[in-house]
Amino acid sequence: MTKRILVCGAGGFIGGHLVKRLRSEGYWVRGVDLKHHEFSPTRANEFVIGDLRDPAVVRSVLAEIDEVYQLAADMGGAGYIFTGEHDAAVMHNSAMVNLNVLEFGREAGIRKYFYSSSACMYPAYNQTDPDKPNCSEDSAYPAAPDSEYGWEKLFSERLYAAYQRNYGVEIRVARFHNIFGPEGTWSGGREKAPAAICRKVAEAPDGSEIEIWGDGKQTRSFLYIDECIEGIWRLMDSSFAGPVNIGSEEMVTINQLAEMAMEIAGKRLLVRHVDGPLGVRGRNSDNRLIRDRLGWAPSASLRAGLEVTYDWVAEQVATHHKVLTASR
């Protein structure tokens, strides 16, 4: 019989791509989210607009489901997470979703869950050196995330582990490191760094300037969406519960990311560094555990993924400009 899957957060960036992969593998997929996917029609067999903070909605979407992929969260980029203005909502909304999905899933007899955690749960004290951040999975404790978003992710990891111990459900937990690619948020304040920089470069006339928060020497790694989805697939197909990093080990500074986007665009732009929310000084995926347990790790270059992403963002910018022009 065809396996029936529920994807929570199916209207989002990673969730939308995950639905496509699950459908291509022959699964029946129900998606649920507060909104439809913004950039492409869903491939889900059934898509429910609903609020997973509502027990009635959760009970409904869990009916006749075999496995749950839980990606729904109140989240965004640095401009959303690190200002402190959304801390209560981020913690309350995401925790409620996970509490509901697990408890009502237990009642419904769900036996297997995937949970998308984040590298934001790693201790800030291990990420002060931009050249040598420590994000190995066993470095999580003593806990000291740099944001309430990270604290909620850590709490929910423990919540899933507790349900596994007490109720015997199978869990798979991945810690995502800065996933990027086409069909993701690229404007409005919740976009991640690659999309934000691609947008700024696409909007800027050649020879002008763009702004970058901080001195641009903060380091990160960025994982292209296709490899993220492959990592999820391989983790769920394995006997390893995790938590495990799903990220790239190709660490760059934000200045280098901007330079790469400019090269792709064929533009020469000045960079003006301004004050803004930054997060930790350095972060990079440590892929030793995923190689050991899954025999696989992401390997695609940042440049290859950024080329595809820049072209897509530039197209969105051009379309948005045409709409604004036509409406005047």
Side-chain angles (χ1 to χ4, degrees):
M1 293 180 64
T2 301
K3 193 175 289 186
R4 294 172 64 89
I5 306 294
L6 175 67
V7 176
C8 303
F13 167 48
I14 302 174
H17 282 274
L18 178 60
V19 168
K20 294 176 186 177
R21 174 63 183 267
L22 293 170
R23 291 282 289 119
S24 74
E25 298 290 346
Y27 294 159
W28 187 96
V29 180
R30 175 183 294 146
V32 58
D33 209 316
L34 289 169
K35 60 177 179 60
H36 286 289
H37 200 286
E38 188 175 353
F39 303 111
S40 66
T42 184
R43 288 282 312 281
N45 299 85
E46 181 181 296
F47 194 96
V48 177
I49 298 294
D51 189 338
L52 292 168
R53 294 170 298 181
D54 182 344
V57 170
V58 179
R59 283 194 173 101
S60 174
V61 297
L62 285 169
E64 300 180 329
I65 289 295
D66 299 309
E67 295 179 0
V68 173
Y69 289 71
Q70 202 319 71
L71 294 92
D74 190 344
M75 55 85 68
Y80 184 76
I81 294 297
F82 297 120
T83 63
E85 297 172 5
H86 312 286
D87 287 351
V90 164
M91 297 192 81
H92 173 271
N93 294 338
S94 297
M96 283 298 298
V97 170
N98 288 307
L99 288 162
N100 283 343
V101 166
L102 276 168
E103 180 59 18
F104 299 123
R106 182 182 68 83
E107 291 181 1
I110 305 296
R111 302 306 303 165
K112 193 172 184 180
Y113 296 85
F114 170 81
Y115 173 59
S116 60
S117 186
S118 167
C120 289
M121 52 64 60
Y122 283 115
Y125 58 75
N126 280 341
Q127 301 172 85
T128 58
D129 184 345
D131 298 318
K132 296 180 181 179
N134 177 14
C135 293
S136 63
E137 287 84 353
D138 60 4
S139 72
Y141 297 92
D146 71 335
S147 66
E148 303 306 335
Y149 174 77
W151 277 107
E152 189 282 325
K153 286 296 187 183
L154 188 59
F155 161 77
S156 290
E157 282 190 13
R158 297 186 68 92
L159 180 68
Y160 279 83
Y163 269 71
Q164 178 176 249
R165 289 194 307 274
N166 293 164
Y167 301 118
V169 299
E170 281 191 78
I171 65 166
R172 302 289 184 270
V173 178
R175 293 170 178 167
F176 291 160
H177 287 250
N178 296 309
I179 315 303
F180 77 100
E183 299 185 359
T185 300
W186 59 275
S187 64
R190 292 201 187 207
E191 65 274 20
K192 300 291 186 70
I197 287 176
C198 286
R199 185 196 75 244
K200 291 177 181 183
V201 171
E203 290 175 339
D206 195 12
S208 62
E209 68 176 24
I210 62 171
E211 292 183 349
I212 287 181
W213 291 339
D215 62 10
K217 295 178 182 178
Q218 61 270 36
T219 55
R220 296 291 186 275
S221 66
F222 302 96
L223 183 67
Y224 189 62
I225 183 62
D226 289 358
E227 291 205 295
C228 174
I229 299 303
E230 182 67 20
I232 295 171
W233 175 260
R234 287 171 179 263
L235 181 61
M236 282 294 275
D237 195 43
S238 77
S239 60
F240 182 44
V244 67
N245 291 326
I246 294 184
S248 169
E249 289 181 314
E250 184 184 349
M251 188 170 69
V252 296
T253 67
I254 300 302
N255 285 335
Q256 289 171 329
L257 180 67
E259 289 166 7
M260 195 178 293
M262 291 178 215
E263 290 174 5
I264 293 167
K267 294 181 179 182
R268 290 188 176 183
L269 303 169
L270 296 174
V271 173
R272 183 157 59 93
H273 296 100
V274 298
D275 291 337
L278 300 177
V280 295
R281 189 63 175 162
R283 176 173 291 152
N284 190 27
S285 186
D286 183 327
N287 288 349
R288 289 174 294 177
L289 185 62
I290 195 170
R291 285 193 190 95
D292 179 60
R293 300 304 298 267
L294 301 189
W296 173 89
S299 60
S301 71
L302 172 60
R303 174 72 184 235
L306 199 64
E307 286 176 354
V308 178
T309 305
Y310 179 81
D311 288 346
W312 182 83
V313 172
E315 183 180 342
Q316 301 304 307
V317 169
T319 301
H320 183 66
H321 178 71
K322 288 178 182 177
V323 170
L324 286 180
T325 302
S327 65
R328 287 172 182 163

